[in-house]
């Protein structure tokens, strides 16, 4: 996601079944975000991240494993060469 390009974790709330649900699994598997099941949980996650530099740093390490800053350019190059 765009937030990964800014080295910011995501808090995922209310994924649409299908692709969005798979995205949640992928983000969680890489440790790049937090899944919340309610607005209350999302708010608590924001507060927790503000107060826990170590948790934020852990998520940033996860972001480094999943972020693809050149993805759009690579897709455009692929499309042009097809």
């Amino acid at each position: 996601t765009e937030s990964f390009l800014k080295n910011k974790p995501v808090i995922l709330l209310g994924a649409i079944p299908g692709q969005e649900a798979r995205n949640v699994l992928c983000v969680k598997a890489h440790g790049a975000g937090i899944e919340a099941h309610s607005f209350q949980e999302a708010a608590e996650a924001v507060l927790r991240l503000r107060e826990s530099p170590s948790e934020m740093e852990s998520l940033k390490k996860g972001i480094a494993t999943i972020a693809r800053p050149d993805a759009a350019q690579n897709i455009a190059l692929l499309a042009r060469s097809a």
Side-chain angles (χ1 to χ4, degrees):
T1 75
E2 293 81 2
S3 64
F4 294 160
L5 298 179
K6 295 292 187 180
N7 204 29
K8 303 292 183 196
V10 292
I11 298 173
L12 305 158
L13 176 67
I16 299 168
Q19 180 63 40
E20 290 292 321
R22 289 189 297 276
N23 287 346
V24 171
L25 295 175
C26 181
V27 168
K28 287 174 48 181
H30 283 87
I34 299 169
E35 182 178 18
H37 297 97
S38 68
F39 290 115
Q40 180 65 36
E41 282 185 21
E44 290 168 359
V46 170
L47 293 175
R48 191 174 68 244
L49 290 175
R50 289 182 65 194
E51 296 172 359
S52 177
S54 63
E55 186 174 1
M56 180 65 88
E57 192 57 37
S58 176
L59 289 169
K60 286 182 178 185
K61 287 179 183 176
I63 290 167
T65 70
I66 196 172
R68 301 289 180 262
D70 298 328
Q73 181 179 2
N74 291 342
I75 291 168
L77 290 172
L78 250 167
R80 263 190 15 192
S81 68

